[in-house]
Amino acid sequence: MAQVLSQDEVDALLNAVNDDGDSGSASEASSGGMDGFGEVEESDANIQPYDLTNQDRVIRGRMPILEIIYERFIRQFRVSLSNSLRKISTISMISTDLLKFGEFVNTLPIPSCMCIMRFNELRGPALIVFESKLAYAIIDSYFGGTDRPFTKIEGKEFTSIELSFMRRVMDMAINDLEEAWAPVHRIDAQYVRTEINPQFVGVVPPSDVIITTTFEVEFESASGTIMVVIPYSTIEPIKQKLSSSYQTDNDVVDTLWTRSMQEHVQHAQATAVVKLGETEMSIGDLIGLQVGDIIPLAQEVSGELDLEIEESKKLKCLIGVYKGNRAVQVTRRIT
C-alpha cells in the first residue's frame, strides 16, 4: 500500500543521505589500502531474510474470467433480490482488491453480517459480507418499510429474527454464486454459519492473501455494499482457468461435432456373438467322450440367450430360423 511522506520526513531523509555520503568519503580516505571485504560485511547487515513458506506473495496478472463470473452473479442476484423484496434494486461492481486476511478483518466494523461458506469442490472457505446498513435496509424493506438507512448502527446487534431473514438472503446469494461459477468450474458452495463479530471469522490465517470483490447495492432510499471474499489458496488449483483470456461454456454441446462423430461410429465394424450355452466338466470326462454322448448345457431350450457385442453383453434374444438360416430375435436390452 502506497504511503505519502510529509515535507519534514523528506527533508530528514535528504539530510541523512548527505550525512552518509560525507562519512563514507571520510572513511574511504582513512582506510587507504583496505581491501573490499569490509564493504561486503557492511552490506550483509542490510540483507533481510526471506521466508519461502510465507504466503506474502505478489499475484501477477489479472483474472478476467473471475470478472465475468461476478458480472453473471450481479445479473442473477439483482433479479433474485428484486423479486424477493418486490422492489427494484441496482447492483454494480466497484473494485477487486488483493490484501491479507488480517488487514481485511481489521477494516470490518462491529456488527457485520458475514456469511461463512465452503466451496466443497475446491476444498476451501469463502465469505459474503453484507454491510450493516444494507442488511438493515433489506430487512426493513422486506417487512414493509421504506428501506431508509439507520442513523446509528455502531453497537447495534442483529436479533434472531433479523438473522433468520438474512439467512434467506444469504441462501439466494449462494445459489446465484453457484450458477455464476457453473460454466467455469463447479464449486458446490455450502452455507456454514453466520458471524457478527469479525474477530470470530478465522477461516484462514491472517497472513494469507485474499481476493475481495466489492459490489454496491442501491435501493430507492438506501444503499450499501456486499463483499465476496475468496482466499487465494481456495482458487489456486484453478487459477489457469481464471487467468485465460477466453471462456468455454462446458454446458454448450457442439452439435456439428456430435453429428460427425455419430456418422463415423455408425460405419464402424463390430462383432456380435450369441452363445448357445456353457457347462463345466472334468478333464477325465472330456477324455472319455465318445460319438453320440450328450453334454447338457446350463441353458433352457426356450430361454433367452445373451447377445454379446465385442465381448460385452448388451441384448437378450431368442434363437430360431429365418428364411432357412439360423437367426436370433432381440427381446430386450440388458441394463
Side-chain angles (χ1 to χ4, degrees), residues 29-223:
S30 61
S31 61
M34 182 180 294
D35 55 13
F37 291 102
E39 296 178 359
V40 174
E41 292 178 357
E42 292 178 359
S43 62
D44 290 343
N46 297 326
I47 297 177
Q48 297 180 356
Y50 181 77
D51 187 6
L52 295 176
T53 61
N54 189 5
Q55 204 186 18
D56 187 11
R57 73 188 85 178
V58 177
I59 303 175
R60 297 179 176 85
R62 295 170 59 251
M63 294 184 180
I65 302 300
L66 188 61
E67 297 177 2
I68 295 176
I69 292 173
Y70 285 142
E71 290 291 343
R72 189 182 295 112
F73 168 72
I74 287 174
R75 295 193 299 268
Q76 296 176 348
F77 187 62
R78 178 179 60 83
V79 174
S80 300
L81 190 61
S82 299
N83 292 338
S84 177
L85 300 179
R86 300 294 190 269
K87 186 172 296 186
I88 297 177
S89 61
T90 304
I91 304 177
S92 58
M93 185 165 57
I94 299 177
S95 63
T96 299
D97 302 317
L98 299 175
L99 68 161
K100 292 184 179 181
F101 183 70
E103 298 175 356
F104 169 75
V105 171
N106 293 332
T107 61
L108 295 177
I110 299 177
S112 295
C113 189
M114 296 168 290
C115 170
I116 302 176
M117 56 184 174
R118 178 175 177 81
F119 292 172
N120 292 323
E121 290 294 329
L122 298 177
R123 298 182 180 180
L127 292 174
I128 299 180
V129 182
F130 293 84
E131 190 178 2
S132 297
K133 65 176 183 178
L134 175 63
Y136 284 120
I138 292 175
I139 296 170
D140 183 66
S141 178
Y142 181 79
F143 290 103
T146 58
D147 61 49
R148 62 182 184 277
F150 282 83
T151 57
K152 183 179 180 182
I153 299 178
E154 291 77 6
K156 184 180 184 304
E157 295 186 358
F158 291 95
T159 63
S160 300
I161 297 177
E162 293 170 343
L163 290 178
S164 63
F165 172 74
M166 286 305 299
R167 170 68 189 277
R168 297 183 181 180
V169 180
M170 293 174 185
D171 289 339
M172 288 191 303
I174 292 175
N175 293 333
D176 293 337
L177 193 63
E178 273 188 326
E179 294 181 5
W181 271 88
V184 179
H185 190 85
R186 182 172 179 269
I187 59 174
D188 188 16
Q190 179 184 3
Y191 171 85
V192 178
R193 68 179 188 274
T194 303
E195 289 291 347
I196 300 176
N197 192 337
Q199 301 300 324
F200 296 154
V201 185
V203 292
V204 291
S207 60
D208 281 11
V209 177
I210 60 173
I211 302 175
T212 305
T213 304
T214 306
F215 306 92
E216 184 177 9
V217 182
E218 295 181 357
F219 297 108
E220 183 178 355
S221 304
S223 63

